[in-house]
Amino acid sequence: MLNDRLEIRRTGNSTAFYIGGSLQFDTEDEHIYHESLVVPAASIVDKRRGGPFEALILGGGDGLALRELIRFPTFSKAVLVDYDAEVLKLGRTEFRSFNRGSLFDSRLTVRVEDANDYIASSIESFDLIIADFTFPDDLNGCRLFTADFFSGIKKLLKDDAVFALNSVSPSASSAAYWSISRTLSASGLYARPMRVEIPSFMAHGYGEWGFFLSSGRRITYKELASINLPQDLKYLNKERLIGSLRFSCKDAGRNFILGKMIREPSDLLCLLNLSDLWDPNGEETACEWRGRAANVIHSLDMEALLAEAEVRIKGASKKVHEEFALLKAELSDFISEKVLDLERSYRCFAILMLLIIFINLVYPDNAFAKGYYGSSHGADEEINMVFLSPIAAAPFRDLSSQTGTAQYMVPDIYGKAHVKRTIRYNKTPAASGEAVTDTFFYAIADDVYLAESGHVYATIANLPYIYKAEPGRFLLLETGKPEPLFEFYPDTEVLQVIVQNISLQQRAAEKAIKEHNKWLAWSGPGQYIVNNKSSDAAAIEKIRKVGVLLQKAYGELSGAKIPPQAPNRSIKIAPGMYLTMDGLIMFRQADGTWVNYCYKGFGSAEMVPQLPHSDRIDKFVKDMMGIVLLRMPKWHPMREMIITKSSGLKP
Amino acid sequence: MASHERDDNNEEFRLKTLDGRGGCMYSRYLTVDDRNVWDALVKDTRESGFMQSWGWSEFKEAEGQKVHRIGIFDGEEIVAGAIVYSVPSSLGSSPLELPHGPVLPWKDNDKASLCMGVLLKELARVADESASPAVRIEPFMQGPLPHYMGKLVRAPLDLIPTPTLLISLVSDDSMLSSMTAKGRYNIRLAMKKGVKVSCSEKEEAVDDFYELFELTFSRHNFCGEGRGFFKNMMKFLGPSGMARIYFASFEGITLSAAIAIYYGGRATYLYGGNSPFVTSVMASYALHWTMMTDGRDLGCDLYDMYGVAPAGQPLHPYAKFFRFKSRFGGAVINTAGAHDIYFYPQLADMWVRGMRYGSKQREISPVV
């Protein structure tokens, strides 16, 4: 972790700081994060103590958490422990204006040390401990969220002291989030979960962000409602604080029940990996894994497993015995089913499925491993073999390799030729006579293009549809027709991929130009001998042009809106278009509201505005359903429904 | 048939063979003194690979994995064994992973069978101690695995990609003539254009490599390991020359980068990344050509492209890479893939615990 690259990116008026490619803060909205992490905890301590208090900050070498602490007149002393001297150096220099010189405060002692080592060896105790760690993406990082670590924290807390912890996303990593909650509780710290929406985090696809307020003495609503928040906060107020503490049972969902105490670092890593499989609606595992787990179960020696289980089930509750007996009696029927529906299956069988999945996720290298499917599914099946690839990527895959004559090419990263399209369209569906013409110039990613204007477009396989990506909307265009088809709400997931690619390639362009200039300076005297300079000048100029266009595109797209929730129990068919398990086609409009579209057998939703019927949208829906069916595994629970309701579509 | 007895004096677990050969085959944990002998055995076993090397195991230990180094001895001679990786977890321990393993005398079925028996006993003991429900084996071999491996279940994940493309490393002319016309042309074009290829075995080179690697996996929507992973890799494997980072540049601009592993008779193209610029100079072709010739000069006779798309799957994420890779010639081989041997007592333990836990949780309502 110590060697991860630290990077500062400046765009317009904002500065963003990254460690190893992960966003740590963006000056546009970092106050939301740091006020939420520090202020409630410090306010509670301020009230409980009624006098001077001492704090420990773990991590936070950027000085921003400390800045919030300094607001409190009763704050008397702090120890800041961060293992990364480089981050501390940035905190004292580049970030000084953001943290208001907090790292120079006379009440502060800084220790360059690993948090684990400090906790293990420290004999001091504190009124407030704040943990501002980076996202735990390896075993070392996960070590800071184990029961052992939290027990060590508790030992350093004085009576009635408070521990505030930066956690993971309760939406994107729900199982991991609630497991951290359980682990805090199991360590003797009553944990209050908190969540906030930080626009820069949302734009990076991290989801809403989670914290925990914890203490050896319960922090009640009454206590929180009675604390006095500092006056000059930019984000936090009483209403927002109380709002951040609200979680419904539906939000917690199944993942609260699955939440487990984190004894080993790998437990957390497994749960974080699991989050990538879990459907965003928190209801089903990813279909690929249901198939894989099913394959394994088909191959197990179930007799041997049941015999071993029967020995061990003695002493279990009556309910478990009953369910197990039922499973034994009907096991052969279960296993012979092609589509395993977890809703209908017995709980213990479902637990076995989950167990197979857990076993495979615990080993870190398996996160990068390649999946396998048994021969029973046929060699001609189009199966996505990439372990963590989101289903949503499906609409953007090319169906066949594209070739074009030389003058109609735009290159991609491998020099592969893509069709150079020129499109002409009206600016909005309603406008006419205000046509825009744009030509693709460069392929940023598969099916994503940068045009001469600096705008970004995404194509869908070989279909005549193109999305124009804007921060405020995704405009759906149809080639050959100037009137746009629809204005969708921007798809944050797709935008995030686009923005990330743009950012990386823009930096690559800058670096390439810099390296080339260095080479020119070096080779200057020998230019009469060195070949190729003039013949590749055009290539260098293209890099410059691409760099400028990428920068423009990045500036335009990086301020994306925060997306509202997808419909419950739905899959994404295309950016902005969803299909629910009940067979409703939902479009998310540019203003964030939903409309329902009735197409053939797909139903209409009560209480939801209906999109008027149009032949063009009919064709779009039909084409997109065709793409989805092509990609969908045979055991997907929605496959039959799509085929039936679409009627006329062939898988 | 075999019986076993524990020799408590030496803390070795001895399995006496009763096959009439009068031998005494046993297993014990390897120490650092066994390093060279172990590596010699692995290098000599074509069905194995770099993930069974001592150096790789040190790298994985630094990553936080638990490593068991088990040797199977026939008398005083090490004849088989495995480096086993796992990660302890209270959720249910990971499988005991044997990528490129086990290391067995595959050509002698009887001996391999005996060795596997000894190894399985030891693995069962490790599984019992670590509560691991399965062992995952992935030897680098084609065809179905021998019957003596035990009751195998096809694993849902392969750590070693299959199928893969293997290219014979012979003379320059022979290699070029085995390539496609496009492959040959592009290599020559890169040389003519003046693409320069350099390599480094130092940790410092990781940052430059990672820029192109991150660019590439982000573009193609793959998951990529973090920068720290590669720093650790070069720290442990660079000094011995087992891992090298290659860069292909044109007029000072780094256009292509890759990490190659040289171990035993096989050179492996493990990771790579490309710049989107100045693609006309075919820098990646020059890069692979250099890695291949370097591998040959280091004594390797095979170059492993490390994964291609299965036949008949044009939409496979590897399909576009296969077009590029296939231009270098070679043959696609389908290895057996990863297989699991389940330990039903441990699996049943975890299952029953899960059932009990699930039963308790149904009574708890989330209080927030």
Side-chain angles (χ1 to χ4, degrees):
Chain A
M1 270 164 59
L2 194 55
N3 293 316
D4 275 355
R5 189 160 171 233
L6 311 179
E7 194 184 349
I8 297 171
R9 294 185 207 167
R10 293 187 174 88
T11 314
N13 290 329
S14 77
T15 298
F17 176 52
Y18 293 80
I19 297 179
S22 290
L23 177 70
Q24 303 306 300
F25 68 80
D26 188 316
T27 52
E28 279 290 296
D29 55 25
E30 57 80 14
H31 54 278
I32 300 176
Y33 174 102
H34 291 101
E35 284 177 12
S36 301
L37 173 64
V38 177
V39 172
S43 300
I44 293 168
V45 168
D46 188 37
K47 192 166 168 86
R48 283 183 180 181
R49 289 289 176 260
F53 68 85
E54 296 176 353
L56 169 66
I57 301 178
L58 302 170
D62 52 35
L64 295 168
L66 182 61
R67 177 195 66 200
E68 298 306 321
L69 207 55
I70 290 172
R71 293 178 187 282
F72 293 81
T74 46
F75 154 63
S76 62
K77 174 188 152 185
V79 175
L80 189 147
V81 177
D82 197 314
Y83 74 91
D84 197 332
E86 289 297 314
V87 173
L88 285 161
K89 188 177 167 188
L90 287 172
R92 293 184 180 109
T93 53
E94 299 280 342
F95 304 152
R96 187 172 178 168
S97 59
F98 311 137
N99 63 36
R100 292 186 220 134
S102 64
L103 292 173
F104 296 95
D105 194 290
S106 58
R107 293 165 286 183
L108 176 70
T109 305
V110 173
R111 295 176 69 117
V112 183
E113 196 177 340
D114 184 87
N116 255 313
D117 294 340
Y118 178 84
I119 296 293
S121 61
S122 176
I123 54 170
E124 297 182 80
S125 56
F126 300 92
D127 303 293
L128 170 66
I129 299 181
I130 294 165
D132 186 9
F133 298 130
T134 53
F135 184 83
D137 58 5
D138 59 19
L139 291 171
N140 279 328
C142 289
R143 207 172 295 282
L144 302 169
F145 293 86
T146 58
D148 272 348
F149 183 78
F150 291 154
S151 297
I153 292 275
K154 182 149 193 289
K155 285 188 187 131
L156 300 191
L157 288 170
K158 294 179 183 169
D159 289 341
D160 293 351
V162 173
F163 173 45
L165 169 68
N166 159 39
S167 179
V168 297
S169 171
S171 56
S173 306
S174 190
Y177 182 79
W178 292 112
S179 293
I180 294 171
S181 173
R182 278 195 193 277
T183 309
L184 282 164
S185 301
S187 308
L189 293 162
Y190 294 101
R192 273 234 99 86
M194 282 176 68
R195 57 177 173 169
V196 293
E197 284 183 355
I198 306 169
S200 58
F201 278 35
M202 303 287 284
H204 280 71
Y206 301 161
E208 60 180 8
W209 207 248
F211 302 96
F212 288 99
L213 265 179
S214 59
S215 173
R217 178 179 122 201
R218 273 187 208 278
I219 301 169
T220 61
Y221 271 121
K222 194 174 165 188
E223 185 176 14
L224 281 161
S226 70
I227 56 174
N228 298 315
L229 296 176
Q231 294 297 319
D232 53 344
L233 298 172
K234 280 170 81 172
Y235 165 78
L236 198 65
N237 55 39
K238 266 301 174 54
E239 196 191 327
R240 282 185 172 145
L241 172 60
I242 300 300
S244 72
L245 298 165
R246 275 197 202 104
F247 286 79
S248 66
C249 292
K250 189 179 144 211
D251 291 333
R254 189 171 293 186
N255 289 302
F256 183 86
I257 293 168
L258 279 178
K260 187 125 176 30
M261 190 160 99
I262 300 166
R263 286 186 222 271
E264 300 278 354
S266 57
D267 295 350
L268 181 60
L269 206 58
C270 175
L271 291 164
L272 289 168
N273 286 341
L274 186 70
S275 299
D276 288 314
L277 302 184
W278 221 257
D279 183 272
N281 295 319
E283 296 288 336
E284 306 274 350
T285 55
C287 290
E288 293 138 60
W289 262 105
R290 283 173 53 176
R292 291 179 201 183
N295 274 343
V296 170
I297 289 172
H298 278 127
S299 311
L300 286 178
D301 183 344
M302 285 307 290
E303 261 190 55
L305 179 60
L306 286 168
E308 293 284 351
E310 201 143 31
V311 168
R312 284 155 178 81
I313 213 153
K314 290 175 182 149
S317 69
K318 191 175 167 202
K319 192 149 194 168
V320 170
H321 272 277
E322 280 169 2
E323 285 183 344
F324 186 69
L326 207 57
L327 174 75
K328 266 187 70 178
E330 306 205 7
L331 186 64
S332 58
D333 285 339
F334 262 144
I335 290 183
S336 66
E337 276 200 324
K338 233 185 158 183
V339 177
L340 294 169
D341 186 339
L342 289 179
E343 297 284 9
R344 286 193 285 125
S345 66
Y346 295 110
R347 256 180 269 272
C348 37
F349 192 77
I351 286 167
L352 182 60
M353 293 264 284
L354 283 171
L355 193 58
I356 301 292
I357 294 169
F358 272 129
I359 287 167
N360 281 280
L361 289 183
V362 165
Y363 188 64
D365 290 1
N366 282 347
F368 308 100
K370 311 301 174 280
Y372 159 77
Y373 281 117
S375 57
S376 58
H377 296 289
D380 57 346
E381 185 123 356
E382 303 300 344
I383 296 165
N384 187 338
M385 300 282 275
V386 177
F387 182 56
L388 291 175
S389 176
I391 294 170
F396 284 91
R397 289 208 194 271
D398 249 343
L399 276 178
S400 60
S401 59
Q402 294 191 16
T403 56
T405 58
Q407 70 257 43
Y408 296 123
M409 275 172 16
V410 290
D412 72 4
I413 198 166
Y414 286 99
K416 181 183 134 192
H418 295 258
V419 172
K420 186 183 198 174
R421 299 199 202 188
T422 297
I423 43 176
R424 194 163 176 278
Y425 58 94
N426 298 338
K427 283 183 183 169
T428 65
S432 60
E434 292 180 43
V436 168
T437 303
D438 222 347
T439 304
F440 292 176
F441 171 74
Y442 172 74
I444 297 169
D446 296 337
D447 303 314
V448 180
Y449 297 91
L450 186 61
E452 298 271 358
S453 60
H455 294 307
V456 174
Y457 298 86
T459 60
I460 306 175
N462 279 336
L463 297 175
Y465 305 106
I466 300 174
Y467 280 88
K468 183 187 175 208
E470 298 176 7
R473 65 176 183 173
F474 270 27
L475 192 63
L476 178 62
L477 307 169
E478 194 176 355
T479 52
K481 297 194 164 80
E483 304 82 24
L485 210 52
F486 198 78
E487 281 179 284
F488 284 101
Y489 193 90
D491 187 312
T492 310
E493 193 178 342
V494 170
L495 265 181
Q496 191 242 328
V497 169
I498 292 174
V499 167
Q500 186 180 16
N501 273 285
I502 288 174
S503 167
L504 286 171
Q505 295 192 32
Q506 184 202 338
R507 282 185 288 140
E510 282 166 11
K511 187 175 173 189
I513 299 288
K514 207 163 131 181
E515 284 180 345
H516 181 63
N517 288 340
K518 254 172 57 180
W519 179 88
L520 277 180
W522 167 82
S523 68
Q527 276 173 37
Y528 297 108
I529 306 161
V530 169
N531 294 325
N532 305 326
K533 180 178 173 293
S534 60
S535 64
D536 296 299
I540 304 300
E541 269 319 294
K542 199 195 99 181
I543 299 176
R544 282 188 221 280
K545 184 174 175 182
V546 165
V548 166
L549 290 174
L550 286 171
Q551 187 170 28
K552 185 183 170 193
Y554 182 81
E556 200 180 280
L557 294 177
S558 54
K561 288 155 63 166
I562 299 165
Q565 287 272 12
N568 209 20
R569 293 163 59 84
S570 64
I571 60 170
K572 183 160 69 173
I573 304 292
M577 178 184 166
Y578 291 79
L579 175 67
T580 70
M581 295 278 276
D582 305 326
L584 301 173
I585 297 172
M586 304 293 287
F587 281 27
R588 185 154 60 194
Q589 301 186 111
D591 61 4
T593 59
W594 293 95
V595 288
N596 170 227
Y597 188 75
C598 289
Y599 170 72
K600 293 200 174 174
F602 294 95
S604 64
E606 290 175 11
M607 313 294 288
V608 176
Q610 301 291 309
L611 188 66
H613 173 266
S614 101
D615 289 341
R616 286 178 73 198
I617 295 186
D618 267 2
K619 187 168 180 308
F620 172 70
V621 169
K622 180 187 169 191
D623 287 341
M624 294 316 303
M625 291 296 181
I627 294 277
V628 164
L629 278 176
L630 204 64
R631 291 234 141 242
M632 197 173 254
K634 285 188 177 144
W635 53 80
H636 197 288
M638 291 173 78
R639 187 180 173 82
E640 289 298 320
M641 184 254 285
I642 294 174
I643 293 171
T644 310
K645 289 182 184 294
S646 299
S647 65
L649 279 172
K650 287 180 188 163
Chain B
M1 282 287 289
S3 63
H4 58 264
E5 60 190 45
R6 183 175 283 280
D7 184 336
D8 287 327
N9 289 333
N10 293 329
E11 292 183 356
E12 287 171 350
F13 188 80
R14 291 175 181 270
L15 181 76
K16 280 198 173 161
T17 58
L18 300 176
D19 61 354
R21 295 205 284 186
C24 180
M25 211 174 268
Y26 61 93
S27 69
R28 70 160 168 84
Y29 270 65
L30 301 173
T31 67
V32 70
D33 293 334
D34 300 308
R35 178 185 186 135
N36 291 338
V37 172
W38 171 256
D39 272 333
L41 176 68
V42 176
K43 285 177 181 177
D44 219 27
T45 308
R46 301 292 285 187
E47 295 82 359
S48 188
F50 63 88
M51 290 192 190
Q52 286 293 307
S53 70
W54 201 277
W56 188 267
S57 71
E58 286 178 325
F59 159 48
K60 284 292 152 183
E61 258 177 331
E63 290 272 290
Q65 293 186 23
K66 197 156 164 57
V67 176
H68 306 263
R69 299 177 181 91
I70 302 170
I72 311 293
F73 290 79
D74 188 353
E76 293 303 313
E77 187 195 356
I78 185 171
V79 292
I83 294 188
V84 183
Y85 302 93
S86 70
V87 169
S89 166
S90 63
L91 283 171
S93 197
S94 69
L96 301 178
E97 303 256 353
L98 281 65
H100 284 148
V103 180
L104 296 176
W106 297 97
K107 291 179 179 49
D108 182 341
N109 268 337
D110 289 340
K111 196 170 183 182
S113 173
L114 282 169
C115 291
M116 189 64 197
V118 174
L119 182 63
L120 273 176
K121 290 261 184 211
E122 185 60 31
L123 289 172
R125 191 187 66 76
V126 173
D128 191 36
E129 276 178 7
S130 61
S132 180
V135 153
R136 180 162 294 169
I137 60 171
E138 276 188 275
F140 191 75
M141 59 196 298
Q142 296 181 72
L145 294 176
H147 64 91
Y148 56 75
M149 301 303 287
K151 286 184 185 173
L152 300 174
V153 172
R154 187 67 169 93
L157 293 169
D158 293 323
L159 211 50
I160 319 292
T162 181
T164 189
L165 182 70
L166 290 182
I167 300 165
S168 293
L169 298 178
V170 285
S171 66
D172 282 13
D173 286 345
S174 295
M175 285 198 287
L176 286 167
S177 64
S178 310
M179 293 184 190
T180 65
K182 188 77 176 163
R184 276 194 297 276
Y185 175 81
N186 286 341
I187 289 172
R188 287 174 179 141
L189 179 71
M191 287 174 180
K192 192 175 162 200
K193 286 278 186 179
V195 170
K196 301 265 181 291
V197 180
S198 60
C199 72
S200 170
E201 289 160 0
K202 295 195 174 353
E203 231 177 289
E204 290 75 26
V206 168
D207 285 330
D208 285 337
F209 162 77
Y210 199 76
E211 284 205 6
L212 290 186
F213 176 64
E214 189 182 24
L215 200 66
T216 307
F217 78 68
S218 295
R219 192 186 177 286
H220 291 288
N221 209 22
F222 282 114
C223 273
E225 289 87 337
R227 193 185 299 265
F229 171 87
F230 294 103
K231 292 269 188 181
N232 263 342
M233 182 189 285
M234 293 313 294
K235 180 177 166 185
F236 284 94
L237 306 183
S240 62
M242 189 170 148
R244 285 187 188 175
I245 303 180
Y246 283 83
F247 298 98
S249 59
F250 172 73
E251 295 194 354
I253 308 172
T254 309
L255 297 175
S256 190
I259 293 182
I261 301 285
Y262 298 108
Y263 187 80
R266 204 155 68 236
T268 306
Y269 162 53
L270 201 58
Y271 295 95
N274 289 294
S275 165
F277 309 118
V278 203
T279 50
S280 56
V281 301
M282 305 298 166
S284 50
Y285 285 84
L287 190 83
H288 278 275
W289 177 248
T290 306
M291 292 197 295
M292 286 163 67
T293 51
D294 278 1
R296 179 199 54 205
D297 297 343
L298 287 167
C300 298
D301 56 10
L302 282 177
Y303 185 70
D304 185 351
M305 281 287 194
Y306 213 64
V308 293
Q313 290 195 27
L315 296 182
H316 191 282
Y318 281 4
K320 56 178 80 76
F321 304 123
F322 181 50
R323 263 194 302 277
F324 164 75
K325 290 179 177 180
S326 64
R327 287 177 180 160
F328 291 86
V332 174
I333 67 141
N334 285 284
T335 54
H339 286 75
D340 294 338
I341 301 166
Y342 277 87
F343 296 110
Y344 290 100
Q346 283 83 353
L347 184 64
D349 262 342
M350 288 169 65
W351 189 22
V352 170
R353 273 209 313 269
M355 284 191 252
R356 286 183 160 157
Y357 182 81
S359 169
K360 272 190 207 154
Q361 293 313 305
R362 285 197 292 283
E363 290 150 23
I364 296 172
S365 56
V367 175
V368 290

